């Protein structure tokens, strides 16, 4: 493995040692536990505690706050390695690492950093509340409001499809602080919310197509009283910019998850193709099977290259186009690899007793959350046109 540069992160040798340890942990602990996680639809508490002990909730937290201090390329590589196992493991940790931590590090006050980053690093589960029943990427349609009241705010509204919502301890919640839509989305602010605050209700965990063991749900805010210190950065109107900055990391995390899981899927297809016999030989000897295996390998490699390049860009500033492109390509690629895996398994690929069926269901969501493929096409195109206009 080639060492990843350690600018503003963990030194390369220590990082390589961590990755080797993580690969063993994935192989020896996380993969063997998958059947239990799927059956219970929950990661066991003892395994969650092991993940905390491994530091998997604090990879991106600065060392002074109890984290590992990884830079963006290191974090993304760690997510790729973790994502070889069941998606639920990444789902549990990723909001802490890629979105909430990023927002607090870049935009939080010193007091907010001191309060929340050590808790996130220690493994208190976070959630990120942007999507609503009537809005997602369209902030102009956002209905959740935070109204000034004395030195604080009163939060009202609802959020939908929120990862970790059923059990999160900390929420980074986007809310409208201006009645009318403002230029550059300045009507949206971000709030750090203790999720046990009076007036917060949680919907039941949604029953999903796949990704057993990960949980999403709705959040409801009914006259939730927030102190003034809950406003991220102490400044109104920066919530949407915060969300978009965090989404760069979130999109890179999903891209890395797609690449990591695609490798798992391809390994499964490769193994099955060598074991399944037809016409007196293993089907791996058939050229059309080999073509599907080769196409999958090439696409995984392409996605890994894109992800590493985008992560390097994001380590030094905004990477809107590259993060969106990497997520779009990697998630679509993972879907193609999963489809080929089912095809290679043949009739067995459609049966729940074989893992190809589960891989197919699990991978479908990657093309939807953190920006659907269609939204990312718009993000890429609009930013290209904006750059072209500025350079013309």
């Amino acid at each position: 493995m080639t060492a990843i540069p350690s600018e503003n992160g963990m030194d390369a040798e220590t990082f390589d040692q961590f990755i080797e340890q993580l690969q063993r942990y994935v192989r020896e602990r996380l993969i063997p536990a998958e059947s239990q996680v799927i059956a219970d639809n929950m990661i066991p508490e003892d395994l969650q505690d092991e993940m905390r002990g491994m530091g998997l909730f604090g990879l991106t937290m600065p060392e002074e706050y109890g984290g590992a201090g990884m830079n963006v390329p290191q974090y993304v590589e760690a997510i790729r390695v973790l994502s070889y196992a069941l998606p639920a493991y990444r789902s549990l940790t990723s909001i802490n690492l890629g979105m909430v931590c990023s927002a607090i590090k870049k935009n939080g006050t010193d007091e907010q950093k001191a309060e929340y980053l050590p808790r996130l690093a220690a493994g208190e589960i976070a959630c990120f509340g942007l999507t609503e029943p009537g809005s997602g990427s369209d902030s102009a349609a956002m209905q959740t409001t935070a109204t000034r009241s004395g030195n604080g705010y009163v939060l009202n509204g609802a959020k939908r499809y929120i990862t970790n919502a059923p059990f999160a301890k900390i929420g980074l919640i986007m809310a409208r602080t201006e009645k009318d839509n403002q230029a550059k989305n300045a009507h949206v602010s971000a709030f750090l919310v203790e999720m046990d605050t009076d007036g917060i209700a949680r919907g039941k965990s949604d029953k999903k197509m796949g990704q057993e063991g990960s949980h999403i749900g709705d959040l409801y805010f009914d006259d939730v009283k927030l102190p003034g210190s809950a406003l991220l950065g102490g400044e109104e109107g920066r919530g949407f910019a915060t969300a978009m900055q965090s989404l760069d990391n979130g999109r890179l995390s999903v891209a890395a998850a797609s690449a990591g899981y695609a490798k798992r899927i391809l390994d499964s297809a490769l193994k099955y193709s060598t074991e399944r016999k037809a016409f007196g030989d293993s089907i791996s000897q058939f050229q059309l099977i080999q073509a599907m295996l080769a196409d999958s390998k090439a696409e995984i490699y392409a996605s890994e290259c894109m992800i590493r390049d985008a992560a390097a860009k994001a380590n030094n500033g905004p990477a809107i186009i590259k993060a969106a492109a990497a997520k779009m390509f990697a998630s679509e690629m993972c879907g193609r690899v999963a489809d080929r895996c089912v095809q290679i398994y043949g009739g067995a690929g459609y049966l729940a007793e074989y893992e190809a069926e589960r891989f197919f269901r699990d991978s479908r969501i990657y093309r939807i959350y953190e920006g659907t493929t269609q939204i990312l096409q718009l993000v890429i195109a609009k930013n290209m046109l904006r750059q072209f206009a500025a350079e013309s």
Side-chain angles (χ1 to χ4, degrees):
M1 170 180 166
T2 302
I4 289 179
S6 60
E7 292 91 332
N8 303 316
M10 186 183 288
D11 74 84
E13 183 178 354
T14 303
F15 177 73
D16 282 351
Q17 291 172 350
F18 172 81
I19 288 296
E20 290 175 5
Q21 180 186 18
L22 181 59
Q23 287 171 332
R24 288 195 302 273
Y25 184 66
V26 166
R27 183 175 60 253
E28 296 171 6
R29 286 291 293 142
L30 296 186
I31 289 177
E34 287 180 349
S35 59
Q36 180 184 352
V37 174
I38 292 169
D40 297 342
N41 196 26
M42 182 63 69
I43 301 172
E45 283 294 332
D46 62 335
L47 203 54
Q48 291 188 37
D49 288 341
E50 283 184 14
M51 293 170 68
R52 293 183 176 97
M54 281 277 293
L56 295 181
F57 289 88
L59 301 178
T60 55
M61 315 300 166
E63 291 183 55
E64 60 265 35
Y65 298 111
M70 288 185 184
N71 60 26
V72 177
Q74 291 170 341
Y75 152 66
V76 169
E77 177 64 10
I79 290 296
R80 188 186 68 82
V81 171
L82 177 65
S83 298
Y84 189 82
L86 197 70
Y89 300 121
R90 185 205 72 98
S91 183
L92 187 68
T93 62
S94 64
I95 305 301
N96 283 43
L97 296 171
M99 304 188 78
V100 178
C101 172
S102 173
I104 296 173
K105 283 196 303 184
K106 291 179 180 178
N107 300 289
T109 64
D110 289 342
E111 293 77 14
Q112 288 168 340
K113 293 174 185 177
E115 168 66 21
Y116 289 103
L117 291 179
R119 293 171 57 186
L120 293 168
E124 288 194 41
I125 307 300
C127 65
F128 181 84
L130 175 64
T131 302
E132 297 185 358
S135 72
S137 301
D138 178 15
S139 73
M142 183 178 292
Q143 297 297 309
T144 299
T145 60
T147 307
R148 279 189 171 277
S149 177
N151 294 324
Y153 295 84
V154 177
L155 186 66
N156 282 284
K159 299 292 180 180
R160 175 158 290 179
Y161 308 136
I162 305 303
T163 300
N164 298 336
F167 43 74
K169 299 294 180 70
I170 301 165
L172 182 62
I173 308 299
M174 304 298 151
R176 177 185 289 271
T177 45
E178 293 284 347
K179 181 178 179 181
D180 298 323
N181 298 333
Q182 303 291 311
K184 297 183 179 180
N185 298 290
H187 54 284
V188 179
S189 301
F191 294 87
L192 288 160
V193 178
E194 299 288 346
M195 297 303 293
D196 60 357
T197 304
D198 289 344
I200 297 178
R202 307 172 195 247
K204 62 180 176 60
S205 181
D206 291 315
K207 185 175 175 61
K208 310 185 304 303
M209 177 189 293
Q211 300 218 357
E212 289 88 351
S214 66
H215 292 266
I216 62 172
D218 293 353
L219 294 171
Y220 305 97
F221 307 99
D222 183 13
D223 287 339
V224 178
K225 294 180 174 57
L226 303 177
S229 59
L231 178 64
L232 184 68
E235 184 178 346
E236 291 185 3
R238 296 186 60 189
F240 193 78
T242 296
M244 293 303 101
Q245 289 171 0
S246 296
L247 282 175
D248 275 357
N249 278 356
R251 286 167 180 166
L252 287 171
S253 176
V254 175
S258 300
Y261 208 43
K263 185 177 186 302
R264 170 77 177 281
I265 296 168
L266 177 57
D267 285 349
S268 177
L270 187 63
K271 182 175 184 292
Y272 186 83
S273 73
T274 63
E275 296 171 346
R276 176 75 166 89
K277 304 290 184 181
F279 304 103
D281 208 346
S282 70
I283 64 172
S284 65
Q285 298 306 304
F286 300 160
Q287 290 182 335
L288 295 179
I289 297 294
Q290 291 176 359
M292 289 191 281
L293 295 172
D295 285 349
S296 297
K297 179 66 174 180
E299 290 192 60
I300 291 170
Y301 176 52
S303 72
E304 290 172 346
C305 293
M306 288 182 70
I307 291 163
R308 289 187 178 118
D309 181 67
K313 171 72 172 175
N315 199 46
N316 297 311
I320 296 172
I321 291 179
K322 287 191 172 185
K327 191 270 182 184
M328 181 178 72
F329 181 85
S331 62
E332 292 284 345
M333 173 278 298
C334 188
R336 290 191 293 270
V337 173
D339 187 72
R340 292 182 193 122
C341 180
V342 171
Q343 196 72 9
I344 289 169
Y345 269 74
Y350 203 68
L351 301 181
E353 66 182 282
Y354 292 89
E355 60 187 6
E357 180 267 351
R358 185 242 300 179
F359 292 151
F360 189 86
R361 290 184 292 105
D362 283 348
S363 62
R364 187 61 183 87
I365 188 63
Y366 291 139
R367 288 177 269 172
I368 296 175
Y369 60 17
E370 311 301 358
T372 65
T373 293
Q374 288 69 39
I375 284 293
L376 295 181
Q377 288 172 324
L378 296 179
V379 168
I380 294 166
K382 287 180 178 179
N383 278 277
M384 288 171 60
L385 293 168
R386 190 176 296 122
Q387 288 181 3
F388 178 77
E391 293 167 0
S392 298

